[in-house]
């Protein structure tokens, strides 16, 4: 597999994002809402890179991928969003690819009265989502390749890689 982003490159960018987020929120309370499963490693690192003191962490599981293709249909696995109402929300994602997941989820939150929402994504493919969604804090804009590692999977595997690599179907 070809390494796209090394562990060191990711760590450096995560530190910068943590600083940006800290400066943006200051002392204002917010909820970091981690989108499982893919974001769990990024979330653990970005949480520790944020020095702003007043945030809590919450989790929701969304899924739309089977193998290397998006099914186009987003599923939510914990839909109790009452707890988020009235709070500032910072969504933490590993990747915005087509944008389907976050377009759907932002609309879902909106319809349930959760309106103050920002997005932090480690990766985005701007050439694919074409500004369907605004990412407030983005780590890297990557080409339209299927990537694995640092939380990103292929059929549940390879999430544990400490770097991000291009996956070309090899085992
Ligand atoms: C991945 C990723 C994002 C979404 C991005 O989730 O974690 O949530 O796809 O793709 P999109 O912009 O094209 O919607 P996936 O459905 O693979 O679930 P997982 O995080 O549990 O692996």
């Amino acid at each position: 597999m070809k390494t796209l982003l090394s562990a060191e490159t990711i760590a450096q960018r995560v530190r910068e994002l943590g600083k940006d987020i800290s400066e943006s929120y200051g002392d204002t309370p917010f909820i970091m809402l981690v989108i499982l499963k893919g974001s769990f490693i990024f979330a653990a690192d970005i949480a520790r890179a944020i020095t702003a003191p007043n945030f809590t962490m919450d989790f929701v599981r969304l899924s739309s991928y089977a193998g290397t293709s998006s099914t186009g249909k987003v599923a939510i696995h914990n839909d109790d969003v009452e707890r988020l109402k009235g709070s500032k929300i910072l969504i933490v994602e590993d990747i915005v690819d087509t944008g389907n997941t976050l377009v759907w989820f932002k609309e879902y939150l909106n319809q349930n009265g959760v309106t103050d929402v920002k997005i932090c994504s480690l990766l985005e493919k701007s050439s694919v989502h074409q500004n369907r969604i605004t990412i407030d804090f983005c780590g890297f804009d990557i080409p339209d390749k299927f990537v694995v590692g640092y939380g990103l999977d292929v059929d549940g595997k390879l999430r544990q890689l400490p770097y991000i690599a291009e996956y070309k179907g090899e085992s």
Side-chain angles (χ1 to χ4, degrees), residues 17-26 51-52:
L17 285 174
K19 195 163 172 280
D20 291 349
I21 291 167
S22 303
E23 284 172 5
S24 174
Y25 284 93
T51 54

Side-chain angles (χ1 to χ4, degrees), residues 35-39 61-65 70 93-102 151-153 159:
I35 310 296
L36 298 173
K37 298 177 185 174
S39 305
R61 183 169 171 228
L62 304 178
S63 61
S64 66
Y65 275 72
S70 173
E93 257 292 23
D94 51 348
I95 186 166
V96 177
D97 191 333
T98 63
N100 282 342
T101 300
L102 287 191
L152 292 122
D153 73 305
R159 293 193 199 273

Side-chain angles (χ1 to χ4, degrees), residues 10-18 42 45-46 49 122 150:
I10 296 168
Q12 170 63 31
R13 187 70 187 117
V14 168
R15 278 195 291 276
E16 291 169 3
L17 285 174
F42 175 46
D45 285 346
I46 194 74
L122 178 66
Y150 198 70

Side-chain angles (χ1 to χ4, degrees), residues 118-132:
K118 286 189 175 173
I119 294 172
C120 171
S121 183
L122 178 66
L123 307 176
E124 68 163 317
K125 294 181 184 173
S126 65
S127 63
V128 179
H129 71 72
Q130 303 210 336
N131 292 323
R132 287 179 67 210

